[in-house]
Amino acid sequence: MISSEVVYQEVYKAVQAMNVSLPVDVAGRLKAAQQQAEGPAQAVLGQINENLLIAAREGIPFCQDTGMVWVHVSLGEEVQIRGLKETISRAVADAYREGYFRSSVVEDPLRERKNTGTNLPAVFHFDIVPGRTLEIYILAKGFGSENCSRVFMLKPTQGREAVIDSVCAVMKEARGVPCPPVVLGVGIGGTFDYAALLSKRALTRALDHPHPCPYYAQLESDLLEAVNALGIGPGGLGGGCTALAVKVESFSTHIAGLPVAVTVNCWADRRAKVLLSEI
Ligand code: SF4
């Protein structure tokens, strides 16, 4: 049995920390990008990096948009746990309230758009897997970048080059809007909706961990090169990197299709992971 209290504490800590400090791999890439940038791009990256230092030192969020929380739970079928979704939601709400993070979620999106005041609901996805572990992957998704995300239903014969063109098309349209340098999650395969989910799951992987399959690892590298060749640059001002990383996840699909989804994330690449096991 995994205690709900332990889940609550771990998710609470993770959600508070993710809004105040970036993962070390993301922070490292932003510092390296600043060293390699020129002109206004270097100034933009300098401000981002200074802002990150201040946020960590003062314990305050590094962006005013503290995002909508996205949660992917991978639950071992031998794990006994009660009230998992409610526990995670409570931890998210408490972390946002006690961290003074902005509540950005509105209910009834087409009519009243009333702020729920808790940053709930979070968006949940559950996978049931063999074993005795509970893995909780969390993103806090800013919507300046989320609004730039897209799904393409390519023809199966269009292949690899069309995937690269689609990803580049997203950034050509987005330009500086998603607060570059971005991190892109690319989902290939499945159905229309599942490709989008894959693109989010791609964002849960550390930037320094390439795809385990050499073919897709090479595609990640080629996508990064193609996006950076667009020259959009930090803040959309050119003169430096456009993307810090491109991460790919793939899945089987139908003979008649090649779905490709691109989730655009900004430099505020907030991700956290909670791993727990049955004792
Ligand atoms: S897109 Fe990202 S960096 Fe830009 S305002 Fe939104 S959360 Fe902040």
Side-chain angles (χ1 to χ4, degrees):
M1 180 111 183
I2 295 178
S3 136
S4 297
E5 181 56 25
V6 171
V7 173
Y8 173 89
Q9 291 296 342
E10 293 301 315
V11 172
Y12 178 93
K13 277 190 281 180
V15 170
Q16 279 223 327
M18 75 196 296
N19 275 297
V20 172
S21 307
L22 282 174
V24 284
D25 55 339
V26 182
R29 289 202 185 199
L30 282 167
K31 278 190 205 123
Q34 183 187 349
Q35 282 160 9
Q36 288 157 14
E38 299 167 352
Q42 193 180 46
V44 170
L45 287 161
Q47 286 170 2
I48 290 172
N49 286 323
E50 187 186 357
N51 175 53
L52 286 170
L53 282 176
I54 295 168
R57 191 179 65 224
E58 306 286 332
I60 55 176
F62 47 72
C63 184
Q64 43 77 34
D65 178 358
T66 44
M68 184 171 193
V69 175
W70 175 97
V71 183
H72 183 265
V73 177
S74 184
L75 178 63
E77 58 197 1
E78 292 174 52
V79 173
Q80 292 181 46
I81 186 152
R82 291 206 181 93
L84 181 58
K85 191 173 173 183
E86 184 276 326
T87 301
I88 295 171
S89 296
R90 192 159 44 84
V92 168
D94 290 353
Y96 269 74
R97 188 183 66 255
E98 289 163 22
Y100 301 102
F101 304 156
R102 193 181 80 184
S103 291
S104 303
V105 176
V106 294
E107 60 190 15
D108 193 354
L110 196 53
R111 294 182 299 170
E112 294 182 14
R113 296 186 67 86
K114 184 168 178 273
N115 197 307
T116 63
T118 56
N119 219 44
L120 295 179
V123 172
F124 278 89
H125 298 275
F126 288 88
D127 256 357
I128 306 297
V129 298
R132 302 168 68 84
T133 58
L134 168 63
E135 300 180 5
I136 304 171
Y137 297 89
I138 308 169
L139 305 174
K141 196 63 188 65
F143 259 54
S145 52
E146 186 72 358
N147 286 337
C148 300
S149 302
R150 297 285 183 269
V151 178
F152 301 86
M153 299 305 286
L154 301 182
K155 294 184 176 67
T157 50
Q158 286 184 275
R160 193 178 192 275
E161 283 313 305
V163 172
I164 295 175
D165 289 347
S166 300
V167 174
C168 287
V170 170
M171 283 309 297
K172 278 185 199 163
E173 185 187 349
R175 312 277 326 159
V177 172
C179 299
V182 296
V183 178
L184 300 177
V186 179
I188 305 173
T191 49
F192 179 88
D193 56 314
Y194 200 67
L197 175 56
L198 290 171
S199 72
K200 281 285 187 302
R201 288 181 55 180
L203 289 175
T204 65
R205 186 149 38 89
L207 305 194
D208 297 334
H209 290 182
H211 195 287
C213 163
Y215 176 86
Y216 286 105
Q218 186 60 50
L219 179 60
E220 288 178 342
S221 165
D222 292 349
L223 282 165
L224 181 61
E225 194 179 322
V227 169
N228 278 328
L230 298 174
I232 296 165
L237 300 176
C241 82
T242 301
L244 298 173
V246 182
K247 313 306 286 179
V248 172
E249 289 293 325
S250 70
F251 190 74
S252 308
T253 192
H254 190 279
I255 48 173
L258 178 57
V260 177
V262 184
T263 291
V264 181
N265 208 4
C266 45
W267 61 262
D269 183 33
R270 292 165 289 218
R271 61 164 211 273
K273 181 165 73 172
V274 171
L275 298 184
L276 297 167
S277 293
E278 284 262 6
I279 301 161

